[in-house]
Amino acid sequence: LHHITEQAPPSRRGSLCFSTHRYSVRHNAGMAIAVLVKALGAFFAIMNPFVNLPLFLSLTQEQDAATQRRTAVRTTISSTVMCTVVLLLGATILRFFGIGVDDFRIAGGIVLLIISLSMLNGGGSSAHEGSTQEKAQHNVVAAGGNDVAFYPMTFPILVGPGTIATIIVIQSQAQGLGGHAAVAAVLAALGIVLYFSASIGARLSMTMRTIMTRLMGMILASIAVQMIVVGIQHLFPGLAR
């Protein structure tokens, strides 16, 4: 290419440079879009507001409509703050504990795989929704008139171990603001669904919830397997040959 450039006239060299630059821009744009789509799928699957809607309604069933909407707003704000902290400090926390991104990618993939298998089987995962004792504590908190916006709605239901792992891994792969945009889009959808939870819940049939849960579980399982495989390939390059 260097030899051709030397022999080519100035107009030809300019054309080659422009073509190379245009290809590079298209390639980078394609990679950014691919990461954005993958991040959207991962975050929507793990934080799916429609799947978590019944949990929100059960925890706020004693509240009137106005209070329920205020709880939805506080839940969205708490989730946004927590996701922002993970986005900004996640990599720093891993370095502090001496954990590599690939180590965390494999561990996060295993957590996501457990959650996804539970979704496919129609049951809740203790890693995502809490153990039986923790669920009982959730009901006690709600029945006592306590604010459920942060605990248990934000943590561990919405921003639990699976969500945190997904944010850190996607952020390590994303170029630019793709990961941030995906999180913002899902949080916006979450806020809208929770705010109008009473109306949406009345129109969302059990069949639709079941189909959505199974579909999101399949997508999440695929992403989890990919995270595990990529992590293993980076830690053991010889296995990729």
Side-chain angles (χ1 to χ4, degrees), residues 7-233:
Q7 298 300 324
S11 60
R12 178 63 174 171
R13 290 199 300 268
S15 178
L16 286 172
C17 292
F18 177 75
S19 298
T20 303
H21 175 71
R22 185 169 59 181
Y23 172 78
S24 177
V25 170
R26 286 182 178 178
H27 177 72
N28 291 337
M31 291 292 292
I33 292 174
V35 171
L36 177 60
V37 171
K38 178 181 177 181
L40 275 173
F43 292 134
F44 193 83
I46 192 68
M47 297 180 68
N48 193 324
F50 295 101
V51 172
N52 289 307
L53 182 60
L55 292 172
F56 178 78
L57 291 174
S58 66
L59 291 172
T60 59
Q61 60 183 346
E62 301 298 330
Q63 299 178 358
D64 56 44
T67 305
Q68 196 176 62
R69 290 186 173 183
R70 286 195 295 269
T71 302
V73 171
R74 287 196 299 272
T75 300
T76 305
I77 293 174
S78 299
S79 299
T80 302
V81 171
M82 200 162 177
C83 287
T84 302
V85 170
V86 176
L87 278 169
L88 297 177
L89 301 179
T92 303
I93 293 173
L94 291 185
R95 287 195 298 269
F96 178 79
F97 287 103
I99 302 173
V101 173
D102 291 314
D103 301 323
F104 195 80
R105 182 181 281 114
I106 294 174
I110 293 172
V111 172
L112 289 183
L113 187 60
I114 293 172
I115 295 173
S116 64
L117 292 177
S118 297
M119 293 171 68
L120 289 171
N121 291 327
S125 169
S126 58
H128 189 48
E129 300 177 6
S131 63
T132 303
Q133 292 180 341
E134 289 171 339
K135 289 179 181 179
Q137 181 63 28
H138 299 170
N139 295 330
V140 170
V141 171
N146 298 312
D147 189 7
V148 298
F150 182 77
Y151 178 83
M153 274 309 304
T154 296
F155 184 85
I157 292 175
L158 292 173
V159 192
T163 306
I164 293 172
T166 304
I167 290 175
I168 294 177
V169 172
I170 293 294
Q171 181 63 16
S172 69
Q173 298 175 341
Q175 299 292 329
L177 300 177
H180 297 73
V183 174
V186 174
L187 286 171
L190 175 71
I192 293 172
V193 171
L194 293 185
Y195 191 81
F196 297 102
S197 57
S199 300
I200 296 174
R203 292 170 173 80
L204 194 63
S205 66
M206 181 59 65
T207 302
M208 286 298 299
R209 294 177 188 175
T210 302
I211 293 173
M212 191 170 296
T213 300
R214 300 298 195 279
L215 179 60
M216 291 299 104
M218 196 65 199
I219 293 174
L220 196 60
S222 302
I223 294 172
V225 170
Q226 186 182 46
M227 288 171 59
I228 295 172
V229 171
V230 171
I232 292 175
Q233 287 178 340

